[in-house]
Amino acid sequence: MDTGVAVRIKDIDDTPSLPMTGAAYLPGVAYDEMIAKGGDVRAHYAALQSRISTLGAGELADRQRMLERSFLLQGITFTVYGADSATERIIPTDLFPRILPAKEWAKIEAGLTQRLQALNMFLADIYGEQQILMDGVVPRELVLGAPSYRREMQNVYVPHKAYANVCGSDLIRGQDGEFAVLEDNLRVPSGVSYMLANRDASKRTFPGAYREAGVRPVERYPDLLLATLKSMSADWRSNPQVVVLTPGVYNSAYYEHAYLARLMGVPLVEGRDLVVHDNMVYMRTTTGLRRVDVIYRRVDDDFIDPLAFRRDSSLGAAGLFNAYRAGNVVMCNAPGTGVADDKAVYAFVPDIIRYYLGEDAILPNIETFLCREPAQLSHVLANLDKLVVKAVGASGGYGMLIGPHASAKERAEFADALKADPANYIAQPTIQLSTAPCLVDGRIEPRHVDLRPFILSGEKTVVTPGALTRVALKRGSLVVNSSQGGGSKDTWVLAEEAPSNGAGGLG
Amino acid sequence: MMLARVADSLYWLGRYMERAEHLSRLSSVMLNATLDQTDAGAQAVWIALSAVGKTEIGAVAPFEAARSLVLDRSDHNSVVSSLARARENARQVRDQITTETWERLNLLYLKVTDEGAGREFADGSANFLHDVISDVHLFKGAADATMSHGESWRFMMVGMYLERAQLVSSLLEVCFAEGPGREINDHIALVSLLRMACALEPYLRVYTAEIEPRHILEFLVFDEDFPRSIRFVTSRIEEHLAVLARHTEANGRTGPERLAGRLKARLQFADLDELQAQGASALLTTVVNECSRIHEAIYETFVAYPLEMRLPA
């Protein structure tokens, strides 16, 4: 008999209560994920919205607390070092899921697959024949002069030509409701553990609405990742040893590294656990040295091997890169993939897709001005108050000017920096990111969100039907990076048709 | 097969958890004994503080002494520091221990490092320590019930039992070593000693309520079944190391296993008359020293072995 469980779920999800009073949800000018222009609730949000509207403010607060507690318990935290003690904080997490209907997802999935395919072909080309540079599709100095271009990778054999095995692209939805790609992350993208943890949490906070909606599962991510990593190893190694390489426990994404290693059932190693001998990589185990075949490395290019890259790095292993070149070990992602997510190369991605695949990009780019071009620079300087300007080499929301939100003084300073080193900057129009309902100080309010889906590429390319939705928690803010006070929420990708599994009545 | 660094962390995880439990129990028994203003209370304080090598803080009130044993973060040997280090080790091997096990430890850590912990301790130290000890038990139970009893778990067990062997030996040394120490004959002080070793009820079942120093010594050193007797503990250490040694490439019997086997045999075939004839401190010192040697041998064999010996030809 399963009734005990059913009753419990009902208790959590269906306690009768007063609806939220005096808290009308009023989206602004941006596209809202839940409410359409006319004020009607979008069809795919109907179930959740009716669920929320029956909950009182107290109950919502209770659920939010329950959610935060579950993160704290699991240790999904980062440490804030204070004056005399260290306290642990959780990444802010919002309890309302963001919902995407099947049709929209189908387009995203096709677009991301196409994009990553083209980018992998681009990487194989520039680290090989460099045909695309000879044909003048992408300026030669833009690629070869980028700091993320690794000359050491020239003519290295990469199985299946899959350079970027794990990719997390940032998508945003503009005022017209269409998704566009803001950024490709091909180096060591993180956040997938939050996608999985958020899902775990939202199944507990809204079990009824979850069941009714027919949400596609994301839980297979770890085994798909393992299959992708194994597909990268040499054929003659019958049972390849996969490891996750982490910079260590003080890294802010350490939780994720341990989480993925645990769910894949593979060792979580640090640089000091690895030994390279005769171009073979071994790990130090209790029973001696053991050969390593595939390294899912969560350490940046610069730090993986003090002999090949930064000499002062102690996070990698000496000789690792030579072992890689010799084909005795595979690193995922390959070193040097960063050149394809460079902010200046980004502007050429639609051309890259057309060049290799002969297709138009399914997901458009954001219009981008390259300040290296004198004509575009003068346009940018004349319109600084309307544009977002980004430093090419920076990430995480640093080195960025949001024109409309900046003061005249900040704009003047940025203009000087632009003129001093134009090649280091790009500019894009300020996009009103779409908004989604969030619980802020006990009220449901619209907040700007983006979308980071995760794409795996080895022998085949797979897009996990889910994503991390990042939230700018400050009212009106457009910056969603967690280093800049952003939070996250679960993302429900709906199946084609909601299943009628007869579980109705539990709400 | 597991990473050497991981084995090291699991070993220390076991040691720190055992230390946290023992220190909590000493503090709890000490505070309880001093509720009555008797000489036995003073003796209990002396036993507890000598056993942890902290006689210098004996000058302060027992409550303050216990408070610093439990909550002083600047003291590396307090309960809160032990738990913080246990958790730090657990975090580094988060992929090796089950979620159930991790959650017990994480909850306990959040509890003792909470801002309100000091006030909670002041409001009811007995309750607070009781909860800490039962949380450590929950952790051990979760590890036992949910982790595979393979290499990871065994390294944790070896750490736990080695720590226990050393802690119980130190406790007994304080009470039974010959020399200028105090002879403990007071009934209540002896009961406190048994409580500090978590041995009161099991002792009563064997010897009834006749509490004799001689019987206590016999029970805590030679009993075959009591999980905190030195004999029991050394026998577990040997058992776990024997299994762990089977996997190593090193030929023949390995260092730690051999040392543990020798120590086990020594306790298995000794008896109380012999112990008293030679003096208890000789044996207890041997146990403490042999445990240190086993600890070093574990490092040489499993963790910090020279690479030259293990590289493929």
Side-chain angles (χ1 to χ4, degrees):
Chain A
M1 283 293 284
D2 206 21
T3 48
V5 176
V7 168
R8 228 175 40 235
I9 290 169
K10 201 170 160 61
D11 282 345
I12 296 167
D13 207 26
D14 269 49
T15 19
S17 65
L18 296 168
M20 295 265 299
T21 45
Y25 178 72
L26 294 170
V29 289
Y31 181 96
D32 189 78
E33 300 284 336
M34 182 165 84
I35 307 288
K37 265 270 156 346
D40 296 333
V41 176
R42 295 182 199 279
H44 56 277
Y45 258 99
L48 182 73
Q49 199 271 343
S50 68
R51 188 75 269 270
I52 295 173
S53 62
T54 62
L55 292 174
E59 269 168 308
L60 286 174
D62 277 351
R63 283 177 198 217
Q64 181 72 33
R65 262 197 299 281
M66 195 163 90
L67 180 81
E68 283 166 7
R69 181 153 177 79
S70 95
F71 276 76
L72 193 63
L73 266 187
Q74 292 175 67
I76 314 179
T77 52
F78 61 97
T79 310
V80 181
Y81 293 94
D84 55 348
S85 70
T87 52
E88 308 232 346
R89 300 266 171 79
I90 63 164
I91 307 279
T93 304
D94 185 72
L95 81 169
F96 302 132
R98 186 254 194 96
I99 306 179
L100 289 170
K103 223 175 117 195
E104 281 181 0
W105 182 255
K107 184 177 170 192
I108 292 173
E109 189 174 5
L112 290 173
T113 310
Q114 177 200 50
R115 199 168 169 102
L116 187 59
Q117 234 169 0
L119 288 174
N120 270 326
M121 290 168 87
F122 171 69
L123 285 162
D125 190 8
I126 62 161
Y127 288 125
E129 306 288 312
Q130 303 192 330
Q131 198 60 49
I132 194 166
L133 305 184
M134 312 231 218
D135 291 338
V137 177
V138 183
R140 179 178 291 268
E141 69 282 7
L142 192 80
V143 173
L144 304 187
S148 46
Y149 171 77
R150 302 281 172 196
R151 201 164 44 87
E152 297 85 345
M153 280 298 291
Q154 207 64 44
N155 297 321
V156 173
Y157 168 74
V158 175
H160 314 297
K161 296 194 172 173
Y163 283 74
N165 306 101
V166 181
C167 168
S169 293
D170 291 338
L171 306 186
I172 56 173
R173 199 205 280 268
Q175 252 166 316
D176 57 355
E178 290 301 315
F179 278 101
V181 179
L182 181 67
E183 208 171 273
D184 303 287
N185 291 296
L186 305 177
R187 301 168 203 216
V188 279
S190 60
V192 75
S193 61
Y194 292 108
M195 170 179 91
L196 296 167
N198 280 340
R199 174 56 55 88
D200 211 44
S202 77
K203 276 181 172 173
R204 268 184 273 172
T205 37
F206 290 108
Y210 179 85
R211 192 180 346 214
E212 214 171 90
V215 182
R216 292 180 62 185
V218 293
E219 286 80 358
R220 289 209 54 200
Y221 182 84
D223 63 285
L224 291 174
L225 174 61
L226 183 64
T228 303
L229 296 171
K230 281 192 165 177
S231 79
M232 295 298 289
S233 81
D235 302 338
W236 60 87
R237 299 285 296 169
S238 57
N239 195 10
Q241 175 69 56
V242 177
V243 299
V244 178
L245 174 64
T246 173
V249 72
Y250 299 106
N251 186 275
S252 58
Y254 177 78
Y255 170 77
E256 177 159 309
H257 309 158
Y259 184 85
L260 290 174
R262 191 170 84 248
L263 291 185
M264 288 195 288
V266 306
L268 177 67
V269 305
E270 295 178 18
R272 56 191 162 128
D273 298 323
L274 298 178
V275 178
V276 184
H277 176 72
D278 264 353
N279 278 346
M280 305 272 183
V281 182
Y282 302 91
M283 55 183 174
R284 294 177 70 118
T285 75
T286 51
T287 58
L289 299 178
R290 180 88 172 237
R291 174 94 185 263
V292 172
D293 297 288
V294 182
I295 300 176
Y296 176 39
R297 51 106 181 183
R298 296 295 300 260
V299 174
D300 287 334
D301 282 3
D302 273 335
F303 298 97
I304 45 181
D305 182 351
L307 294 180
F309 304 108
R310 268 178 70 156
R311 289 187 184 188
D312 58 348
S313 167
S314 54
L315 300 177
L320 192 55
F321 191 72
N322 262 345
Y324 177 65
R325 276 194 78 104
N328 292 328
V329 72
V330 182
M331 276 191 268
C332 303
N333 295 344
T337 46
V339 70
D341 70 18
D342 183 274
K343 288 190 170 71
V345 173
Y346 163 86
F348 294 92
V349 174
D351 301 327
I352 291 173
I353 293 174
R354 206 168 300 117
Y355 181 80
Y356 291 112
L357 301 174
E359 300 166 5
D360 285 329
I362 299 170
L363 288 172
N365 260 17
I366 308 292
E367 185 184 17
T368 301
F369 304 102
L370 296 171
C371 301
R372 58 189 296 122
E373 310 286 338
Q376 301 193 16
L377 174 64
S378 52
H379 172 83
V380 170
L381 287 172
N383 293 285
L384 261 190
D385 56 334
K386 300 187 193 75
L387 298 172
V388 177
V389 187
K390 299 175 182 172
V392 174
S395 65
Y398 296 101
M400 189 163 121
L401 175 90
I402 302 180
H405 295 183
S407 65
K409 185 165 166 278
E410 286 169 320
R411 281 202 294 269
E413 280 170 9
F414 231 81
D416 292 340
L418 267 175
K419 281 179 233 162
D421 184 12
N424 192 32
Y425 292 95
I426 58 146
Q428 293 169 334
T430 311
I431 310 272
Q432 280 293 321
L433 307 187
S434 62
T435 54
C438 296
L439 188 67
V440 182
D441 298 331
R443 290 168 51 87
I444 303 174
E445 293 186 5
R447 285 292 181 271
H448 292 293
V449 295
D450 79 347
L451 184 76
R452 176 179 282 188
F454 295 91
I455 312 112
L456 294 171
S457 152
E459 206 169 0
K460 15 179 219 236
T461 303
V462 199
V463 186
T464 306
L468 177 69
T469 290
R470 298 190 295 174
V471 185
L473 287 173
K474 260 182 280 173
R475 182 198 296 268
S477 167
L478 294 171
V479 186
V480 295
N481 303 69
S482 59
S483 50
Q484 310 282 322
S488 78
K489 54 164 67 208
D490 190 23
T491 310
W492 292 3
V493 172
L494 303 186
E496 206 63 62
E497 276 171 74
S500 51
N501 55 8
L506 284 178
Chain B
M1 183 279 303
M2 65 191 304
L3 287 176
R5 175 179 55 82
V6 167
D8 184 29
S9 285
L10 286 163
Y11 170 80
W12 280 105
L13 171 59
R15 285 201 83 131
Y16 283 126
M17 288 310 279
E18 186 65 22
R19 195 173 296 176
E21 182 187 338
H22 185 73
L23 290 174
S24 307
R25 190 172 291 115
L26 288 189
S27 309
S28 165
V29 174
M30 178 172 95
L31 286 177
N32 188 277
T34 49
L35 289 178
D36 298 314
Q37 299 282 345
T38 60
D39 188 44
Q43 282 194 28
V45 173
W46 177 77
I47 295 173
L49 295 179
S50 306
V52 294
K54 291 232 169 68
T55 36
E56 79 279 4
I57 55 171
V60 299
F63 177 77
E64 282 309 315
R67 186 194 165 87
S68 102
L69 264 187
V70 176
L71 291 174
D72 186 356
R73 290 207 78 162
S74 62
D75 177 356
H76 295 311
N77 278 317
S78 64
V79 171
V80 65
S81 297
S82 299
L83 289 172
R85 289 176 176 205
R87 180 172 178 276
E88 196 61 20
N89 277 292
R91 235 159 76 76
Q92 298 191 31
V93 295
R94 184 62 191 84
D95 55 320
Q96 294 284 329
I97 51 178
T98 53
T99 302
E100 288 82 356
T101 315
W102 159 259
E103 279 190 4
R104 298 326 311 173
L105 172 53
N106 193 32
L107 266 178
L108 176 54
Y109 168 83
L110 293 172
K111 174 189 163 78
V112 294
T113 53
D114 191 84
E115 284 169 14
R119 204 182 42 213
E120 210 187 318
F121 184 79
D123 287 349
S125 55
N127 279 338
F128 185 87
L129 291 168
H130 174 266
D131 288 354
V132 170
I133 294 170
S134 38
D135 280 349
V136 175
H137 287 163
L138 283 173
F139 166 85
K140 290 178 174 174
D144 185 77
T146 62
M147 280 175 70
S148 272
H149 288 199
E151 243 187 321
S152 323
W153 180 77
R154 285 188 197 274
F155 270 107
M156 215 166 98
M157 291 295 117
V158 168
M160 191 183 94
Y161 282 120
L162 264 177
E163 182 74 19
R164 188 179 291 175
Q166 294 189 316
L167 293 170
V168 174
S169 302
S170 319
L171 186 62
L172 292 176
E173 247 185 316
V174 168
C175 304
F176 295 104
E178 304 75 20
R182 292 190 235 176
E183 189 122 329
I184 295 168
N185 280 316
D186 184 275
H187 181 83
I188 296 177
L190 289 171
V191 168
S192 293
L193 168 62
L194 281 169
R195 280 189 204 273
M196 287 178 196
C198 197
L200 183 61
E201 289 169 27
Y203 174 92
L204 294 178
R205 286 174 53 89
V206 178
Y207 298 96
T208 69
E210 289 170 22
I211 307 225
E212 297 277 342
R214 183 186 147 83
H215 287 156
I216 294 179
L217 188 61
E218 184 176 34
F219 186 65
L220 289 179
V221 176
F222 294 123
D223 191 86
E224 202 179 337
D225 302 318
F226 177 60
R228 281 160 213 279
S229 84
I230 301 204
R231 179 174 172 189
F232 181 95
V233 170
T234 49
S235 155
R236 292 290 90 71
I237 294 172
E238 193 272 341
E239 180 186 314
H240 291 303
L241 284 173
V243 178
L244 289 171
R246 245 183 260 150
H247 302 286
T248 52
E249 286 163 7
N251 290 330
R253 293 170 74 79
T254 61
E257 184 206 4
R258 195 175 49 77
L259 291 172
R262 199 168 68 186
L263 181 60
K264 173 190 164 184
R266 177 144 186 198
L267 282 148
Q268 207 163 355
F269 299 112
D271 69 20
L272 189 65
D273 292 334
E274 187 191 327
L275 175 66
Q276 288 195 319
Q278 291 175 356
S281 57
L283 180 73
L284 294 170
T285 310
T286 309
V287 172
V288 172
N289 290 343
E290 285 298 299
C291 285
S292 312
R293 288 182 62 186
I294 294 172
H295 167 85
E296 281 159 24
I298 288 173
Y299 267 73
E300 279 162 26
T301 307
F302 299 110
V303 182
Y305 48 79
L307 280 180
E308 291 73 15
M309 312 292 291
R310 308 287 183 88
L311 282 173

